[in-house]
Amino acid sequence: MNPVGTLQSWIGGRWIGAEAGLSLRSAVDNALIYHTHAEPVDAEQALDYARRTGVPALMALDFQQRAARLRALATHIARHRDELYTIAYLSGATRADSKHDICAGIGVLNAYAGIAASGLPSGNVLHEAPAVSLCRRGAAAGTHIMVPRGGVALHINPFNLPVWSLLEKFAASFLAAMPCVVKPATSTSYLAEALVRLIDASGLLPQGALQLAIGPAEALVARLGDDDAVSFTGSDATARALRNHPNLLARPVQVSVAAASLNCAILGPDVGADAPEFELLVDAIVRSMTVKAGQDGAAIRRVMAPRAHIEALTARLRERLAAVVIGNPAAADVHMGPLASQAQRSELGARVRALAEDGEIVCGQADGYAPTDDAVRHGAFAAPTLLLCRGGNAVHEIEAFGPVCALLPYADVEEALALAARGRGSLASTLATRDPALAAYAVPRLAASHGRVLILEREVAAAGTEALASAHLTYGGPGRAGCGERLGGLRAVSHYLRRSALQGSPTMLTAVTGEYVRGAAVRESDRHPFRQHFDELQVGESLLTHRRTVSEADIVAFGGISGDYFYMHFDEIAARDSQFGKRIAHGYFVLSAAAGLFVSPAPGPVLANYGLDDLRFVAPVGIGDTIRARLTCKRKVDRQRRDDKGVGQGVVSWDVQVTNQRDELVASYDILTLVAKRPGH
Ligand code: NDP
């Protein structure tokens, strides 16, 4: 790529933009590196293309197929990771910083691919089971489904993590079959452009699934419609402007905001300067101040420490921060590079000065930092800056988005929690403690105003605060942090789907959800369901087994095999006094006997039984009771997998109902199997 070329947007399946617009400069030495394109993005065209081309192309795939594409995309981007690292360097990122952005972004794609493979169905209807019976005879049932909404998602991203923020929002909306238009922050849009070019070159995405719009977002926001969504991450001021946009006030566009957050950490009163947790918290603070030069929405901005320990903490942090090597992010011995732009540097300086009105600067400075290396003298450097604030509100109001953190002494836990809450809602908090009673008291209070709480102690040290970025956990904070919810596995995918309550007969619910709902019509044939391949099986395929009378010999034999001589099965007197009034069979015997009733023993397409879900022993089985089982194909998920020999396979869940001679349900569960496809399928 031409290092002083003009960036392009990817709209309507074409790369557009030829005329130079805004100048973008290297964070490292202020050299001109790119221009944005001057031509405005045609918002109408972009949204229309997403709706008309993107939606049907995404809907031509199902959840599982999109998950497989995500995994392939992660592999493709990982293969080209170094190209992105080289470009990220221009934004001031050290190699470690790029891991935080680029590797973490690839990790999110992989995590979502895995979450979707195991948690989403084949097809495009997500059934939120279980269905409930809405009348005595079971003729009417109700359940919930989640379906793609058919609109387009506008993703507006901040400058600080251009790769991660693009991929984490994209992964969830892509799985939900919602095409997205990504608007990257202008100052680091060159990295977003490089990423989208890689994605384009992969050929893995359906047409219209992703578009890139470099430049102002106003025209796009103004044209969002009722089925659309906007997911924004950025500053308070922009969040406010967006929420008050006339189109978003006038129309039911789904708006999700992640904004400035004054995250906090509390050093527990139980943690003295010689405790490992003290050093762990110091590590976490230094890391949060220096990774990406503190430009992370989850960075710790406020640290509450007991008055008795504040001096020790201040001294230790000062010592550790003095050892941070600031300079050219390409150099191996450099810990911290510059801020992303000169604009950020001057804004940060102003904010540090405002914070200093309510406290003292313990180390660092407001006026940036001049490295000794001549080659990077004009870079956007800032010094790690620690403040000590004994009062005032500035520290709870002003976000200095850089390597800046403030210490606040507290007298007791109540004061620490009150200080934490003064951030008016934050993304993340950390509590360093070894005291479970303190954690049990403080965490629910912290959770009321923080999207995440990390309890930091020696056992979790290996994971450290990086674990905060886990794709499986919700990411977002209440109050001024925006009330948005991102990541969080399937919760994030649901965010882009629409939930609808569904009422009808079990047969209709089965037809719509693609999952057998009890009470629905079943299909019985001469061929045992276990002898049918994955591609032959149909949901509702069912087998009602022969019967078996449970004898005392069964109980004795099962006790002997399992070693389970629980009184309920073996002590006539105690069993008579129990709620059942008699000896009963082991629940696990009933389970095993049911398997004996329904399996088809000869080798066949069922490759493995890998577990069971939702097991309930509903009623006791006594000596002399006669049981039988109904096995019904409940759900089929095609994860697009093949074994080493190239034979395709899918996951089949079977509904099992074990009943007694009075047709009463005695045991209920789902069994999970892997089933081979026919050769060539
Ligand atoms: P900004 O609010 O300046 O910009 C964010 C995005 O909004 C950019 O893409 C920007 O585009 C765009 N934008 C600007 N004005 C408008 C508008 N009127 N309508 C629509 N879009 C607009 O934030 P920064 O990029 O400076 O990011 C830093 C901020 O992000 C910090 O405050 C930080 O706390 C927050 N953040 C929050 C996180 C969280 O999860 N809570 C995570 C990461 C960051 P352009 O660049 O072209 O102006």
Side-chain angles (χ1 to χ4, degrees):
M1 187 182 291
N2 176 359
V4 281
T6 296
L7 299 175
Q8 292 186 304
S9 291
W10 195 36
I11 300 292
R14 289 190 311 117
W15 286 95
I16 60 130
E19 206 182 307
L22 298 174
S23 304
L24 302 183
R25 294 184 172 275
S26 159
V28 182
D29 57 9
N30 211 30
L32 178 63
I33 47 171
Y34 296 101
H35 288 107
T36 62
H37 59 83
E39 303 88 340
V41 164
D42 183 336
E44 198 71 55
Q45 183 204 357
L47 297 175
D48 198 53
Y49 184 66
R51 292 185 188 115
R52 285 175 194 267
T53 305
V55 171
L58 282 161
M59 290 295 287
L61 303 174
D62 70 7
F63 286 122
Q64 290 294 324
Q65 289 165 329
R66 289 191 295 275
R69 298 275 180 116
L70 268 195
R71 191 180 297 285
L73 189 61
T75 307
H76 175 79
I77 298 171
R79 223 177 281 134
H80 296 272
R81 192 175 48 197
D82 284 347
E83 295 160 34
L84 295 177
Y85 272 44
T86 306
I87 298 167
Y89 160 77
L90 298 170
S91 71
T94 62
R95 204 159 172 88
D97 292 340
S98 282
K99 279 193 184 154
H100 201 66
D101 185 25
I102 297 163
C103 286
I106 295 166
V108 166
L109 290 189
N110 270 322
Y112 270 88
I115 290 164
S118 57
L120 290 174
S122 293
N124 275 320
V125 175
L126 174 59
H127 181 201
E128 285 193 317
V132 290
S133 178
L134 297 178
C135 69
R136 270 239 188 104
R137 285 175 294 107
T143 194
H144 291 94
I145 53 172
M146 300 206 75
V147 294
R149 55 167 69 202
V152 48
L154 173 62
H155 295 169
I156 303 178
N157 293 333
F159 73 87
N160 57 317
L161 296 172
V163 173
W164 182 81
S165 57
L166 190 154
L167 293 178
E168 58 104 4
K169 288 195 185 90
F170 163 73
S173 57
F174 178 73
L175 284 172
M178 200 163 185
C180 63
V181 179
V182 176
K183 185 268 180 278
T186 300
S187 61
T188 51
S189 51
Y190 48 88
L191 196 47
E193 196 231 43
L195 173 65
V196 174
R197 282 192 188 276
L198 275 183
I199 294 174
D200 177 19
S202 77
L204 286 164
L205 292 195
Q207 281 191 351
L210 170 71
Q211 298 179 80
L212 178 74
I214 294 175
E218 155 64 24
L220 287 160
V221 176
R223 285 168 179 76
L224 291 175
D226 297 359
D227 295 327
D228 300 336
V230 54
S231 297
F232 166 82
T233 306
S235 64
D236 279 344
T238 314
R240 242 186 332 271
L242 199 62
R243 280 196 166 115
N244 289 311
H245 190 285
N247 187 41
L248 303 189
L249 291 174
R251 310 189 72 151
V253 177
Q254 176 179 293
V255 181
S256 170
V257 168
S261 169
L262 291 162
N263 313 298
C264 73
I266 298 178
L267 181 69
D270 58 305
V271 180
D274 50 355
E277 283 70 24
F278 186 91
E279 202 56 32
L280 287 175
L281 184 63
V282 168
D283 282 347
I285 296 167
V286 171
R287 204 167 43 237
S288 119
M289 289 176 74
T290 54
V291 171
K292 290 289 296 181
Q295 301 164 111
D296 187 336
I300 299 169
R301 304 284 174 215
R302 304 172 297 151
V303 179
M304 281 56 112
R307 278 186 196 152
H309 302 318
I310 195 91
E311 260 184 48
L313 185 62
T314 309
R316 186 70 186 120
L317 281 169
R318 193 190 286 145
E319 189 185 336
R320 288 283 304 275
L321 292 172
V324 171
V325 180
I326 310 165
N328 189 336
D333 61 340
V334 162
H335 303 132
M336 191 178 104
L339 301 174
S341 65
Q342 289 293 346
Q344 284 304 316
R345 184 185 196 235
S346 47
E347 191 168 323
L348 185 79
R351 296 199 175 189
V352 172
R353 269 186 281 278
L355 284 173
E357 286 182 14
D358 277 350
E360 59 182 285
I361 295 181
V362 174
C363 67
Q365 58 202 50
D367 306 328
Y369 172 88
T372 45
D373 180 352
D374 245 14
V376 297
R377 202 158 39 94
H378 299 296
F381 291 91
T385 300
L386 191 66
L387 295 109
L388 182 60
C389 299
R390 295 187 191 276
N393 209 36
V395 67
H396 306 295
E397 287 294 332
I398 297 170
E399 182 199 41
F401 201 63
V404 179
C405 184
L407 299 175
L408 295 90
Y410 70 80
D412 54 26
V413 170
E414 291 308 329
E415 188 183 4
L417 293 171
L419 289 168
R422 283 177 68 184
R424 293 192 290 123
S426 308
L427 191 56
S429 59
T430 301
L431 174 65
T433 184
R434 284 287 283 167
D435 179 358
L438 172 68
Y441 178 77
V443 168
R445 287 157 181 80
L446 276 174
S449 54
H450 293 81
R452 268 176 204 230
V453 184
L454 168 70
I455 304 169
L456 186 62
E457 55 177 330
R458 58 202 79 171
E459 284 79 5
V460 295
T465 45
E466 280 90 72
L468 284 174
S470 165
H472 298 264
L473 301 176
T474 294
Y475 190 91
R480 66 176 277 172
C483 301
E485 263 201 20
R486 290 137 56 207
L487 296 181
L490 293 183
R491 275 183 224 105
V493 180
S494 315
H495 177 79
Y496 291 107
L497 295 170
R498 284 245 169 88
R499 177 179 290 110
S500 181
L502 174 64
Q503 288 172 257
S505 69
T507 300
M508 286 299 180
L509 264 52
T510 297
V512 173
T513 62
E515 278 189 16
Y516 169 71
V517 171
R518 282 196 184 160
V522 294
R523 193 190 323 264
E524 289 174 301
S525 71
D526 291 343
R527 261 177 96 198
H528 190 289
F530 276 17
R531 309 231 64 82
Q532 301 185 37
H533 288 82
F534 182 83
D535 47 295
E536 298 171 300
L537 262 175
Q538 295 193 34
V539 167
E541 198 83 41
S542 187
L543 169 79
L544 183 62
T545 70
H546 56 287
R547 291 183 294 264
R548 169 175 181 164
T549 301
V550 176
S551 67
E552 192 197 5
D554 289 329
I555 296 177
V556 173
F558 194 79
I561 289 167
S562 63
D564 176 349
Y565 295 107
F566 194 56
Y567 73 89
M568 202 73 85
H569 317 305
F570 286 96
D571 181 337
E572 194 72 45
I573 298 166
R576 207 179 306 129
D577 289 343
S578 75
Q579 58 174 321
F580 302 121
K582 61 179 182 187
R583 285 166 66 196
I584 59 167
H586 302 72
Y588 300 114
F589 167 75
V590 174
L591 208 62
S592 308
L597 291 169
F598 65 64
V599 293
S600 171
V606 176
L607 305 171
N609 170 356
Y610 71 93
L612 51 83
D613 280 343
D614 301 328
L615 169 64
R616 289 289 180 278
F617 297 122
V618 182
V621 174
I623 295 164
D625 280 350
T626 299
I627 58 169
R628 68 177 359 180
R630 178 171 280 288
L631 172 86
T632 308
C633 175
K634 178 173 180 176
R635 184 189 310 124
K636 288 173 62 186
V637 180
D638 184 355
R639 291 191 189 160
Q640 321 279 314
R641 300 260 166 88
R642 294 187 178 278
D643 69 10
D644 297 345
K645 296 184 192 118
V647 178
Q649 51 183 236
V651 173
V652 180
S653 307
W654 304 86
D655 176 87
V656 182
Q657 299 177 71
V658 186
T659 48
N660 64 16
Q661 63 277 15
R662 292 180 294 279
D663 279 338
E664 294 161 347
L665 191 65
V666 296
S668 168
Y669 49 99
D670 292 350
I671 58 170
L672 312 171
T673 58
L674 273 185
V675 179
K677 294 181 182 172
R678 282 177 296 175
H681 282 75

